[in-house]
Amino acid sequence: MKVIIIGGVAGGASAAARLRRINEEARIIMFERGEYISFANCGLPYYIGGTIEERDALLVQTPEEMKARFNIDIRVNSEVLLIDRENKKVLVRDLKTGKDYQESYDKIVLSPGTYPLKPPIPGIESKNIYTLRNIPDTDAIKETIDLRKPERAVVVGGGFIGLEMAENLHARGIDVTIVEMADQVMPPLDYEMASIVHEHILSKGVKLFPEDGVKAFREEGDSTVVVLQSGREISADIVILSIGVRPEVKLAKEAGLEIGERGGIKVNSYLQTSDPDIYAIGDAVEVKDFVNGSSTLIPLAGPANKQGRTAANNICGYREEYKGTQGTAIAKVFDLTVAATGNSEKILKKLGIEYRKTVTDSDSHAGYYPGAFPMTIKLLYTPEGRILGAQIVGYNGVDKRIDILAAAIRFGKSIFDLQELELAYAPPYSSAKDPVNIAGYTASNYLKGLMDVIHWDEIDGLAQEKTFILDVREPDARQAGYIKGSVNIPLSQLRDRIDEVPRDKNIVVYCKIGLTAYIACRMLAQKGYTNVKNLSGGFKLYKTVKQAQKKLEEQYTGQNISANADKKEKREQLEGDMMVSGKRVKLNACGLSCPGPVMKVYKAMEELSQGDVLEVYATDPGFLNDIKNWCESTGNMLLESGRDEKGFYAHIRKGPIESVEQAGSHVQGIKNDGKTIVVFSGDLDKAIASFIIANGAAAMGKKVTMFFTFWGLNILRKEEQVRVNKGLMDRMFGMMMPRGSKKLGLSKMNMGGIGARLIRKVMKDKNVSSLEELIDQARGNGVRLVACNMSMDVMGIKREELIDGIEVGGVAAYLGEAEKSNVNLFI
């Protein structure tokens, strides 16, 4: 038997090796148009970036090694020009000599792969534009970077290769911009999962322009100007085209082989083409989507290798079906790991397949063991529970979980089976309830009717008059942001304050990731509430999508998001120019979620002296952004920040660096210009004055904190009576004090309340906001309203009796804000 293999790399090389292992007597000839028969094409970006240092490491198998090992006739630089099916011969051209010759065959394995898409965009043949598909492409790009040392790069396309190239170009110190025609990067992901990637890319100082295709390329001197459909122009020293690939089917077409509806070579389940003596494998063939059964193109190395083995088995008489491809894929995007398997929500919608979905957020291993990083898991499944697809974005342990879910899909398992999986557990590796178990539990609760869900993209469209949005996080967590119009009743208080939740509205409950909200949903359901929904993925996912959208929009207003790189350079320069003279103190904030790490930093910094350095580790991905903002607002110096194997780290010097000329540019504009107001009085006129001043300062962009103590606490009391457990003395105090802002009297001319009513009428007639309106405005303007916990205890006032949006704090909270203020009023 004589077998000709056309094309090497993953599929062709795999087929050749398998053929020889099964049939020692077969004559096997491999024709490869290029010079390399088997190379690690997935590793090419990392060689360009320098992670893979040796070029030879990319060569999985050389022609000499493969010939010696498997006795295969390997002919590189040889192109098969046509297939004569009638006479069972191929016409081959030796590309080095130009000589053509014929070779007979019994069987053919076609493994031609794909070619990079280069649409007819004006200027696309510019000398600075490259594609990356093979070793010669890699050599050309690397040589350009090594010799010309480009400063600016544009990557066109946000798929796997595009993002890997962006990361590796960035690692070479090049300013990178990614342009993507779709509204998101990473096509296998759904939009909300891609948003996590968007925000992470932007945090690295890489610019990203989605929904903006390339209109033209224009050469200007040694640079290439990339003109976008929006009209924006980006100047680059090097451009990487990564806008997709097309199956290489020219040879198959000319041989009269059937081409599928998606443009790939059509094969049956045994990988035979319309000619039973010709098999086709790899990126050029159309395969069956394992999940939905449709015909599709999935250019991945794993399936190509398996197809090569299957084709070889069938050629040798071992009948074996290729049952389809489910598209399991994983990629490193800077610090993130991004993975998917099965069908996305986009595909299911397009095909009209009914599905359900849930999003969970879990740590990679036990939170108390160092280095536990969160991962977001999206599950898609039928109404009966069969798993249709999964997507994961996280840091550590993503590969393990996506492989578990890929296996579950392959063997037809359901979300209920995920609950039963007994997975390896030890604190460094997982939790007693693995993230996969948690995903199964959540989906199961949904399908069993124990919990209904609502998704991030449904929140903004809710009818406010018909909906009550309940935030069950603690007040400290709410400081990091909240859904507009939501009411904060912490889970710990919900049983006692449940009457505040209306029974005639749709209830949407949320917390950080959905777990606390689930408990609240169960509580409400068992108290007789109907139509209660948990926000899937929690406020964390909702906030991430919204923040990413806002940051992407800001790029089109001319704001420069690459300024982070400049700031890092300045910080390094400052640290080098100004010796850090104080002691270094280590702080472990791992396992804490926002705002826990920053609060812990704040407390630790109070114990340090000027010039001391705090070295912090945290596992909350938002920590790097939070600590940067915290340092800028407090006047402390962020010397260094980043991520390593332990977590996210930041080195903070207490106080600004003085006396160094370069430091002036860093500390310029960082002023202690906040405003603090201590409201001691409970008089109506003084309360009005306090809030007018606070709103005026907030309108000027100042950070304002109002600290309410003793009689001032009455301003914050609810008008209605709240049922709380109190002692006799506390009840007596409550009866004697005014309940809420509408019961306050004037400091002068009160006249038993007549004066207060008169002043309210005058304010209304003169179109001056009432005290209640001023309070609402203050909350809307971001003014912090803090009730003194010591005074509350003395006055017998419980947290439940205060209006929504009030923080409870002590003297340290006030003093901390006062230190950052240049105005401090006592009213």
Side-chain angles (χ1 to χ4, degrees):
M1 181 173 60
K2 183 178 180 181
V3 182
I4 285 177
I5 298 173
I6 303 174
V9 196
S14 176
R18 180 63 175 176
L19 277 167
R20 177 58 72 220
R21 288 196 297 269
I22 296 178
N23 189 335
E24 180 63 25
E25 303 305 320
R27 185 180 176 194
I28 306 169
I29 305 174
M30 179 189 290
F31 292 108
E32 169 56 49
R33 184 167 47 194
E35 188 178 347
Y36 306 94
I37 60 162
S38 183
F39 59 90
N41 50 0
C42 296
L44 302 182
Y46 299 100
Y47 172 62
I48 293 170
T51 302
I52 298 173
E53 297 179 358
E54 299 297 328
R55 181 178 181 276
D56 287 349
L58 299 172
L59 306 178
V60 179
Q61 193 81 263
T62 67
E64 295 76 19
E65 290 170 341
M66 194 161 188
K67 183 174 183 179
R69 185 181 181 93
F70 293 106
N71 188 26
I72 295 171
D73 184 356
I74 297 175
R75 304 180 192 179
V76 296
N77 298 308
S78 298
E79 182 177 6
V80 176
L81 300 177
L82 63 86
I83 300 172
D84 180 357
R85 293 167 52 200
E86 186 176 349
N87 297 304
K88 300 195 77 170
K89 292 181 180 180
V90 297
L91 178 65
V92 185
R93 174 170 295 168
D94 186 323
L95 297 178
K96 283 192 173 181
T97 65
K99 180 183 176 182
D100 293 348
Y101 63 95
Q102 291 185 333
E103 196 73 55
S104 63
Y105 70 87
D106 294 313
K107 305 288 183 182
I108 288 179
V109 177
L110 271 176
S111 181
T114 59
Y115 63 91
L117 185 61
K118 291 185 72 173
I121 300 172
I124 199 167
E125 300 301 329
S126 169
K127 62 184 178 181
N128 293 324
I129 299 177
Y130 299 84
T131 58
L132 179 64
R133 291 297 295 168
N134 52 40
I135 295 289
D137 291 344
T138 306
D139 291 338
I141 294 171
K142 193 167 190 303
E143 182 180 10
T144 297
I145 295 173
D146 291 343
L147 298 180
R148 288 177 46 199
K149 302 190 183 306
E151 297 180 355
R152 301 158 302 172
V154 170
V155 177
V156 183
F160 284 85
I161 297 295
L163 294 189
E164 288 170 352
M165 277 305 302
E167 176 185 350
N168 282 281
L169 291 171
H170 181 268
R172 294 291 300 265
I174 300 171
D175 184 35
V176 180
T177 298
I178 301 170
V179 175
E180 170 56 56
M181 185 181 294
D183 63 353
Q184 64 166 82
V185 300
M186 284 291 182
L189 298 183
D190 289 316
Y191 183 79
E192 72 274 30
M193 299 296 283
S195 292
I196 305 173
V197 183
H198 292 169
E199 189 166 43
H200 184 67
I201 290 170
L202 296 176
S203 75
K204 295 296 181 180
V206 172
K207 292 176 283 294
L208 172 62
F209 294 102
E211 293 188 277
D212 206 351
V214 176
K215 184 178 181 180
F217 298 100
R218 184 178 72 246
E219 289 191 21
E220 285 189 0
D222 293 332
S223 299
T224 296
V225 177
V226 184
V227 183
L228 304 187
Q229 297 289 347
S230 64
R232 176 179 290 271
E233 296 188 354
I234 308 169
S235 185
D237 304 310
I238 184 171
V239 177
I240 306 295
L241 276 186
S242 183
I243 53 180
V245 294
R246 290 289 182 268
E248 179 60 82
V249 297
K250 180 176 180 290
L251 187 62
K253 265 187 176 180
E254 292 176 350
L257 301 178
E258 188 174 351
I259 304 300
E261 60 189 42
R262 300 294 302 277
I265 303 170
K266 188 171 184 179
V267 294
N268 62 17
S269 61
Y270 299 101
L271 299 175
Q272 291 170 302
T273 66
S274 51
D275 183 329
D277 289 327
I278 301 177
Y279 293 74
I281 58 176
D283 298 352
V285 305
E286 287 191 11
V287 294
K288 182 178 76 172
D289 185 305
F290 182 81
V291 174
N292 62 58
S294 68
S295 183
T296 188
L297 295 165
I298 302 180
L300 292 171
N305 272 284
K306 295 175 180 65
Q307 290 162 18
R309 179 186 176 94
T310 299
N313 287 345
N314 286 318
I315 289 171
C316 294
Y318 296 93
R319 297 290 280 174
E320 181 179 292
E321 288 189 278
Y322 183 76
K323 298 178 181 179
T325 303
Q326 64 195 70
T328 304
I330 192 166
K332 178 181 178 293
V333 183
F334 294 94
D335 298 331
L336 281 179
T337 301
V338 181
T341 186
N343 285 180
S344 65
E345 189 174 355
K346 296 190 293 284
I347 291 175
L348 296 173
K349 281 182 177 179
K350 182 179 179 180
L351 296 176
I353 298 174
E354 189 177 3
Y355 66 92
R356 301 290 184 268
K357 59 179 177 177
T358 43
V359 179
T360 54
D361 194 289
S362 305
D363 283 342
S364 55
H365 59 251
Y368 56 83
Y369 188 89
F373 294 98
M375 67 175 71
T376 303
I377 301 178
K378 179 175 183 179
L379 269 186
L380 296 151
Y381 41 93
T382 66
E384 297 74 36
R386 182 173 67 87
I387 305 170
L388 299 172
Q391 300 160 37
I392 309 180
V393 179
Y395 295 85
N396 295 343
V398 171
D399 52 344
K400 169 182 175 180
R401 276 65 185 214
I402 202 68
D403 285 345
I404 294 170
L405 293 167
I409 291 174
R410 178 61 59 166
F411 297 114
K413 298 302 180 182
S414 72
I415 55 99
F416 304 107
D417 294 312
L418 299 183
Q419 302 175 95
E420 304 299 325
L421 288 176
E422 185 176 332
L423 303 173
Y425 161 59
Y429 305 106
S430 184
S431 299
K433 293 178 181 176
D434 188 86
V436 172
N437 297 136
I438 295 296
Y441 292 139
T442 303
S444 171
N445 286 334
Y446 178 29
L447 290 188
K448 289 180 178 178
L450 294 174
M451 171 190 72
D452 199 359
V453 296
I454 189 170
H455 299 283
W456 70 272
D457 54 345
E458 301 175 88
I459 294 296
D460 293 348
L462 293 172
Q464 295 184 6
E465 68 279 3
K466 298 180 181 179
T467 308
F468 184 80
I469 303 177
L470 176 60
D471 180 351
V472 293
R473 298 172 298 165
E474 292 299 318
D476 284 348
R478 189 172 169 88
Q479 292 178 33
Y482 54 88
I483 295 175
K484 186 178 180 181
S486 63
V487 176
N488 183 214
I489 305 178
L491 179 66
S492 58
Q493 302 173 17
L494 184 57
R495 288 183 178 86
D496 294 330
R497 298 174 60 186
I498 202 163
D499 290 342
E500 297 177 37
V501 182
R503 294 181 177 272
D504 60 345
K505 291 188 175 183
N506 300 322
I507 312 298
V508 173
V509 188
Y510 76 91
C511 61
K512 180 187 176 184
I513 60 174
L515 178 59
T516 304
Y518 167 62
I519 300 170
C521 287
R522 292 301 305 144
M523 184 190 305
L524 290 168
Q526 293 175 81
K527 294 289 186 180
Y529 286 82
T530 57
N531 203 9
V532 179
K533 295 184 178 181
N534 186 358
L535 177 58
S536 187
F539 180 70
K540 180 180 176 182
L541 182 64
Y542 175 87
K543 179 182 177 182
T544 297
V545 176
K546 296 299 181 181
Q547 280 186 341
Q549 289 175 338
K550 182 180 178 182
K551 289 178 181 178
L552 291 172
E553 289 169 2
E554 285 174 352
Q555 293 181 107
Y556 285 96
T557 65
Q559 297 185 29
N560 182 11
I561 64 166
S562 65
N564 290 337
D566 296 334
K567 290 181 179 179
K568 181 177 184 295
E569 184 178 341
K570 288 178 182 177
R571 283 197 296 269
E572 291 172 350
Q573 182 182 2
L574 287 169
E575 189 172 7
D577 291 346
M578 184 73 180
M579 295 297 292
V580 176
S581 56
K583 63 181 179 181
R584 287 184 176 266
V585 177
K586 296 185 184 298
L587 176 67
N588 183 0
C590 294
L592 299 177
S593 58
C594 178
V598 173
M599 293 175 65
K600 199 166 183 178
V601 167
Y602 170 71
K603 291 179 181 177
M605 291 293 279
E606 289 183 322
E607 305 297 324
L608 301 184
S609 302
Q610 289 279 74
D612 290 348
V613 174
L614 187 68
E615 299 180 354
V616 193
Y617 267 103
T619 49
D620 177 20
F623 173 69
L624 294 183
N625 187 49
D626 290 344
I627 200 63
K628 174 174 138 333
N629 294 332
W630 183 85
C631 287
E632 289 178 353
S633 65
T634 59
N636 294 295
M637 185 66 186
L638 181 59
L639 299 175
E640 182 185 358
S641 64
R643 177 181 181 252
D644 59 21
E645 68 280 357
K646 296 180 184 178
F648 302 97
Y649 65 86
H651 296 175
I652 309 156
R653 180 190 187 276
K654 183 167 184 178
I657 294 179
E658 313 89 350
S659 74
V660 175
E661 206 171 358
Q662 296 96 319
S665 62
H666 175 81
V667 299
Q668 184 178 2
I670 299 177
K671 303 175 182 177
N672 290 342
D673 62 351
K675 318 297 175 188
T676 51
I677 304 174
V678 179
V679 185
F680 179 86
S681 171
D683 296 327
L684 175 63
D685 46 335
K686 295 177 182 177
I688 291 171
S690 302
F691 277 95
I692 288 175
I693 294 170
N695 282 324
M700 295 172 64
K702 308 301 181 184
K703 186 177 180 182
V704 183
T705 299
M706 302 180 72
F707 192 78
F708 295 82
T709 182
F710 283 96
W711 313 114
L713 290 169
N714 293 312
I715 303 170
L716 305 180
R717 293 182 71 189
K718 292 177 179 176
E719 184 179 355
E720 69 276 8
Q721 186 171 357
V722 179
R723 291 179 296 176
V724 290
N725 294 323
K726 288 187 177 183
L728 176 61
M729 190 65 69
D730 289 344
R731 287 201 302 271
M732 291 177 62
F733 261 111
M735 292 170 62
M736 292 187 289
M737 291 187 299
R739 184 182 296 120
S741 59
K742 292 183 179 179
K743 302 293 185 182
L744 302 180
L746 291 177
S747 60
K748 304 290 184 182
M749 300 173 57
N750 187 51
M751 299 178 293
I754 296 175
R757 289 193 290 273
L758 285 173
I759 197 68
R760 284 181 177 273
K761 183 179 186 306
V762 170
M763 291 173 67
K764 183 177 181 180
D765 292 343
K766 294 183 179 293
N767 201 27
V768 178
S769 297
S770 67
L771 175 58
E772 293 71 37
E773 290 170 334
L774 289 169
I775 293 172
D776 287 341
Q777 290 169 15
R779 287 187 289 186
N781 289 333
V783 175
R784 290 184 65 196
L785 307 181
V786 183
C788 174
N789 53 5
M790 183 275 293
S791 298
M792 288 174 62
D793 190 44
V794 171
M795 307 290 284
I797 297 175
K798 302 294 186 181
R799 174 65 184 81
E800 295 87 342
E801 297 180 89
L802 301 181
I803 60 177
D804 294 326
I806 307 302
E807 303 172 35
V808 176
V811 175
Y814 157 66
L815 291 176
E817 293 302 319
E819 286 181 0
K820 295 179 279 186
S821 303
N822 58 9
V823 172
N824 186 27
L825 300 178
F826 188 93
I827 300 177

